[in-house]
Amino acid sequence: MQDAHQELQARYTVHTAYTAQTIAAGVAALQDATGQTLTVVQAVAVGLDATQAMVSEIHAAVASPSTRPVSHIPARAKLPARPIFFNGRADRLNEIVAIICKLAAARIAIMGPGGIGKTSLALAIMHNNRVIDIVGDYRFFISVEGVIDTDAASTLLAKHIGLADSSDPLSAAVAHLQSLPSALVVVDNLETLWFSNSASARADTEHFLSRLAEVSSVTLLVTSRGAIPPSGVQWSNEEFAELATLSLDAARDTFNQIAKAPIDIAERTALDTLLGEIDCVPLAVTLLSRLAQLRNSPSGLLRRWRKSRTKLLSSQADDRKLNVNTSITVSLDLLRAMTHGVESLQLLSICAHLPDGLRIPVFAQLVENFDDVDGAKDLLVEFALVMVGAEGELKMLSPIRHFIIDNHPMTRKHLALLRKIYFDMAASAPQEFADGFTARSTQFAPEYGNLTSFLMHLIGSEEPSEQLYDAVEAVSEYAYHTVPSPTLREAFLLRLTTQTAWRANVLLGLGRTRLHRGEYSLTTDNLHAARTLYAELDDRFQEAECRHLLGYYLYIQGLLDAAEQEQLAARDAFIGLDCEHNAAQCMQELGNICGQRDEYDQAIVYLTSARDTFKRHGERLYAAQCTQSLGLIQLQQGNLPAAESDFKSALSEYEAIGEQCGAAHSTEFLGGIRRRQGDYDSSETLLAAALKEYTRLGSLSDLADCHMGFGQLYRDQDKTSEALASFENARNMYEALGNQVCVRFCTADIQDLRNMP
């Protein structure tokens, strides 16, 4: 009975929260569907004996506290190719490779101004044979250019590693990396995250890096603009992290290799002068050599460059402080002189606002607004101002993109066109988990980064409008059901002054998002502010919704009496408004609260009533959650047959609607029942299946619960060392989650085991 009581309290803390009702249902289903491909790959890798193999791995994983969690080898991530032209960097390359070979886990920072060749050096390191001998196929490269926060960066890393979507992608990625013998993770263009006026954004970036750096088997390599590496990590190459410009010989070699044009003695002098005056910045050298391919001589390029330099730097006394913007201006001056040059620059201005690339469907909508959009595109590709991506999208180098945004705004006609395209796209964003959500999300996701970036631009440059408000809310809601981010709403809220209804809705959305992210102090601030505004507007429905969310916040803080008061008030308000579905959600929460208090009869009344309502409304997911909660109550009361029946019923329903996270929960609970019945082999098989799914989903809280279940299983079999390892693994995970209730449970079990004779 003590085990059952601990399990019920633990599961109520983790699994019966509001997230499982109105938030994580959509997220988990999306994660499940989008993770099917990974599951298939893993199934092929382990063959028909996958379950038994997983059981064997779990035995090994829990054998000692230091053993890493079980993880499967992902499909090999696609890596950018090694640089074709790589001159003047051999010494620095060898220095860094030597550090990687010497240290078990090096921490490498490659710093410098834009266009200095940081990415090229990183790719050369990644493809170096000595590095490959150490890390093998476990080389992962992500570029965070255009990524608006560390949540998105964590999701990007998890996807490149080969993991399914997760509510905590960074923890999932770290857990997977810990399971590898050795790996190299490259984070490119870190300045997008690091260079921020927001202290919290910098703190988030430090946390992101420190989590990766703490993995003892991983070499972390970052590239970033600037001279000083980010704080929070002890860099192995801090004394020579900053990358210098090329030598004249290396710059000349690069120019000649790309231009592929014979140069006489007179032009060689002009070339050396040109390269010297641009300080041999690699990006500038590359761009100018591309222009030389169009039969522009070095002397002609030198004249144009000097003209541009005078224009751009007329207020600067020190000519040595020239930067890559000068070479970009040279390219643009030459571009204007070409056929389609003006239209090419206009197209470039559009591309600059789309960090994930101007994709083919959007490009097709531009045709009617250009005389020859294909000719303009071809010219940009020829000038190397854009690159064609793997899916045909037009992408820009980061320095060029930012320079264009600052100096060449879109025409009014093109801005209006892009607004229409992306406002229409925002209106089509999937809003909640339902049939077809995954398919629609798959279509929408590739443009999410572009849409977010463009909306951030509009928020900063336009007065708030109804169209902009609708777009911000739609995209934020989509993000809420995938990887919740407050970024758009935070920025838009700062622009709102008198729009009370908009402010209230934005605050409510921020509160829900932060509640899901665990940012509880900000959650209460947002929800109380929203509730006050809704009261001013006499919006009783939304005011009740604020109380419902505040009730959940109080519940997870362990303030059960206050939580009950909020849920009762919200329920009564919803009933008065004839909102039966919302009232049922409050009833479900009241059932969870009673379950925490061991008030089982009342909990059953609440949960049964809520389930009946959900069934009438066709809400199969919520009904299954109530059935599962009822099973936990039966388990607490020692009624194993009734508990088993409820878990099997919930499992069947989860499987029918494709909600595999919920199915894994029921599978885990059934494993616990088998343990109590003494069927240890069956229990281990069921727990292994649940652990496999939790690993795929990257759910740290569920992984912790499963390790606790293994600890109880091994303890019952007198396998003391395995039980200790499992309980300690679970306790470490609960500590990371801040779940002190479950930490105490694990600590007590560990102490009991150590006190055994």
Side-chain angles (χ1 to χ4, degrees):
M1 291 296 290
Q2 182 181 5
D3 289 343
H5 185 269
Q6 290 180 357
E7 181 167 347
L8 179 63
Q9 288 188 304
R11 301 310 299 198
Y12 267 119
T13 302
V14 177
H15 291 300
T16 63
Y18 179 84
T19 305
Q21 302 168 23
T22 58
I23 299 177
V27 177
L30 174 60
Q31 293 168 339
D32 162 58
T34 55
Q36 289 177 357
T37 300
L38 177 59
T39 304
V40 172
V41 173
Q42 292 173 339
V44 173
V46 300
L48 297 177
D49 294 327
T51 301
Q52 186 58 45
M54 173 61 82
V55 172
S56 299
E57 289 179 0
I58 292 167
H59 276 303
V62 298
S64 68
S66 63
T67 301
R68 295 171 182 149
V70 175
S71 183
H72 290 293
I73 298 175
R76 180 168 178 169
K78 293 182 179 179
L79 299 177
R82 70 175 71 242
I84 298 175
F85 307 108
F86 191 71
N87 299 300
R89 301 296 193 203
D91 290 344
R92 184 57 55 87
L93 172 65
N94 291 333
E95 288 173 338
I96 294 176
V97 169
I99 291 175
I100 294 174
C101 293
K102 179 180 178 180
L103 302 178
R107 307 289 175 249
I108 305 298
I110 302 177
M111 309 298 295
I116 204 67
K118 301 180 293 295
T119 301
S120 293
L121 178 57
L123 293 176
I125 294 167
M126 175 170 277
H127 289 283
N128 182 271
N129 289 333
R130 295 169 65 193
V131 173
I132 294 173
D133 287 341
I134 295 173
V135 301
D137 286 340
Y138 297 118
R139 294 171 292 152
F140 307 106
F141 180 98
I142 64 167
S143 172
V144 295
E145 178 189 355
V147 173
I148 60 176
D149 54 32
T150 53
D151 289 335
S154 300
T155 300
L156 184 63
L157 175 60
K159 288 184 179 295
H160 275 254
I161 289 176
L163 303 179
D165 288 346
S166 166
S167 60
D168 188 359
L170 181 56
S171 293
V174 168
H176 183 84
L177 291 170
Q178 287 172 332
S179 72
L180 302 179
S182 185
L184 170 64
V185 175
V186 177
V187 182
D188 195 35
N189 300 120
L190 186 69
E191 68 272 4
T192 304
L193 301 176
W194 178 243
F195 287 155
S196 172
N197 291 327
S198 167
S200 62
R202 283 199 168 227
D204 288 345
T205 304
E206 288 185 7
H207 175 70
F208 173 78
L209 293 176
S210 64
R211 288 292 305 278
L212 295 176
E214 71 187 16
V215 183
S216 60
S217 59
V218 168
T219 287
L220 173 65
L221 190 158
V222 303
T223 73
S224 178
R225 294 188 191 187
I228 302 174
S231 55
V233 175
Q234 186 173 352
W235 300 102
S236 307
N237 68 323
E238 191 160 5
E239 293 182 359
F240 55 92
E242 188 174 6
L243 200 58
T245 58
L246 296 175
S247 67
L248 180 59
D249 288 340
R252 188 191 305 116
D253 289 342
T254 300
F255 186 97
N256 290 332
Q257 289 170 1
I258 297 174
K260 297 179 181 178
I263 299 178
D264 59 23
I265 295 177
E267 288 296 325
R268 175 166 178 171
T269 300
L271 174 60
D272 287 352
T273 302
L274 174 63
L275 296 175
E277 290 190 15
I278 65 170
D279 284 341
C280 297
V281 174
L283 178 57
V285 173
T286 299
L287 291 172
L288 291 172
S289 58
R290 295 292 184 192
L291 296 174
Q293 289 179 327
L294 303 175
R295 299 182 180 179
N296 287 291
S297 65
S299 58
L301 292 174
L302 179 59
R303 288 193 301 271
R304 291 178 177 271
W305 181 82
R306 285 177 171 169
K307 180 179 180 181
S308 297
R309 179 188 62 183
T310 303
K311 182 189 302 182
L312 288 174
L313 304 176
S314 59
S315 62
Q316 298 184 19
D318 187 357
D319 290 342
R320 294 181 60 84
K321 294 182 180 179
L322 305 179
N323 56 47
V324 75
N325 287 350
T326 306
S327 66
I328 296 174
T329 302
V330 171
S331 300
L332 298 180
D333 284 344
L334 292 170
L335 181 69
R336 292 188 184 92
M338 305 293 290
T339 305
H340 309 305
V342 174
E343 284 204 330
S344 293
L345 183 55
Q346 293 173 353
L347 180 61
L348 195 63
S349 297
I350 294 174
C351 293
H353 287 277
L354 308 176
D356 289 342
L358 174 58
R359 305 181 71 82
I360 291 176
V362 176
F363 180 83
Q365 298 183 62
L366 303 178
V367 172
E368 299 300 323
N369 287 267
F370 285 83
D371 292 335
D372 186 357
V373 71
D374 290 308
K377 179 197 73 173
D378 291 343
L379 193 59
L380 292 178
V381 173
E382 186 176 9
F383 272 58
L385 290 168
V386 300
M387 301 166 291
V388 180
E391 298 180 2
E393 72 277 15
L394 301 181
K395 302 191 72 173
M396 298 174 64
L397 295 172
S398 180
I400 303 174
R401 188 172 68 84
H402 291 296
F403 179 84
I404 295 297
I405 290 174
D406 292 340
N407 295 278
H408 296 278
M410 283 183 281
T411 66
R412 290 184 179 181
K413 178 179 70 173
H414 293 146
L415 177 60
L417 176 61
L418 213 61
R419 289 175 86 258
K420 182 181 186 307
I421 291 172
Y422 280 100
F423 281 172
D424 289 346
M425 193 180 297
S428 70
Q431 295 299 297
E432 61 184 19
F433 175 69
D435 292 341
F437 178 89
T438 300
R440 289 183 290 122
S441 179
T442 300
Q443 295 177 345
F444 183 82
E447 285 285 3
Y448 172 71
N450 288 336
L451 185 50
T452 300
S453 177
F454 184 59
L455 290 179
M456 287 294 288
H457 168 72
L458 295 181
I459 290 170
S461 60
E462 296 184 359
E463 289 298 317
S465 66
E466 185 171 357
Q467 281 186 312
L468 184 56
Y469 164 75
D470 289 341
V472 167
E473 284 294 288
V475 176
S476 297
E477 282 300 297
Y478 166 77
Y480 174 78
H481 291 293
T482 51
V483 181
S485 171
T487 302
L488 282 174
R489 281 176 168 143
E490 282 179 337
F492 192 63
L493 183 65
L494 294 175
R495 300 299 306 276
L496 299 178
T497 53
T498 60
Q499 302 92 336
T500 304
W502 290 358
R503 290 176 59 213
N505 292 338
V506 170
L507 283 165
L508 176 59
L510 281 171
R512 290 172 61 239
T513 297
R514 284 169 168 153
L515 185 61
H516 185 60
R517 289 160 57 94
E519 300 169 353
Y520 297 131
S521 60
L522 292 172
T523 294
T524 55
D525 291 344
N526 292 152
L527 291 178
H528 281 301
R531 181 176 169 183
T532 299
L533 292 175
Y534 285 130
E536 293 177 8
L537 295 167
D538 196 26
D539 190 333
R540 295 169 57 200
F541 176 86
Q542 295 289 36
E543 190 176 358
E545 182 65 16
C546 290
R547 300 198 73 160
H548 173 51
L549 293 173
L550 285 167
Y552 168 66
Y553 161 76
L554 294 167
Y555 165 74
I556 60 178
Q557 294 296 314
L559 303 173
L560 300 185
D561 291 343
E564 182 181 42
Q565 291 178 4
E566 292 292 349
Q567 295 295 351
L568 287 170
R571 181 200 62 178
D572 293 343
F574 285 131
I575 291 174
L577 294 168
D578 198 25
C579 299
E580 189 178 31
H581 170 78
N582 301 87
Q585 290 180 323
C586 296
M587 296 281 280
Q588 187 177 2
E589 277 301 312
L590 287 166
N592 295 334
I593 292 170
C594 290
Q596 281 283 67
R597 291 171 167 167
D598 298 340
E599 299 171 355
Y600 303 127
D601 291 341
Q602 187 60 52
I604 291 171
V605 170
Y606 279 134
L607 289 168
T608 302
S609 175
R611 182 176 62 180
D612 292 343
T613 300
F614 292 138
K615 286 182 176 180
R616 285 198 306 272
H617 287 269
E619 297 283 358
R620 299 173 66 184
L621 175 62
Y622 296 140
Q625 291 171 356
C626 290
T627 299
Q628 187 168 270
S629 294
L630 288 166
L632 287 170
I633 291 175
Q634 296 294 343
L635 187 64
Q636 168 68 13
Q637 295 178 307
N639 191 347
L640 299 188
E644 182 176 6
S645 176
D646 282 336
F647 292 147
K648 285 183 175 179
S649 176
L651 175 61
S652 177
E653 193 69 1
Y654 284 135
E655 290 177 341
I657 62 177
E659 213 294 88
Q660 293 193 12
C661 184
H665 292 159
S666 293
T667 300
E668 180 190 349
F669 299 149
L670 287 169
I673 289 178
R674 294 289 182 271
R675 175 181 66 82
R676 289 173 174 82
Q677 294 171 337
D679 187 354
Y680 298 134
D681 290 342
S682 177
S683 174
E684 192 165 21
T685 298
L686 290 167
L687 289 174
L691 183 65
K692 181 178 180 180
E693 185 63 21
Y694 296 151
T695 300
R696 185 184 71 82
L697 294 171
S699 175
L700 187 61
S701 61
D702 292 327
L703 285 169
D705 294 334
C706 216
H707 279 293
M708 178 186 277
F710 272 110
Q712 294 167 346
L713 174 64
Y714 293 135
R715 180 197 60 197
D716 290 357
Q717 298 178 81
D718 295 326
K719 296 180 179 179
T720 303
S721 60
E722 292 92 335
L724 280 171
S726 293
F727 282 130
E728 287 175 352
N729 284 337
R731 183 174 64 180
N732 291 338
M733 293 179 182
Y734 286 133
E735 286 178 343
L737 291 164
N739 187 337
Q740 296 305 314
V741 173
C742 291
V743 168
R744 289 195 294 271
F745 288 158
C746 291
T747 300
D749 286 325
I750 291 169
Q751 290 175 345
D752 289 343
L753 286 169
R754 288 175 175 168
N755 292 333
M756 291 178 61

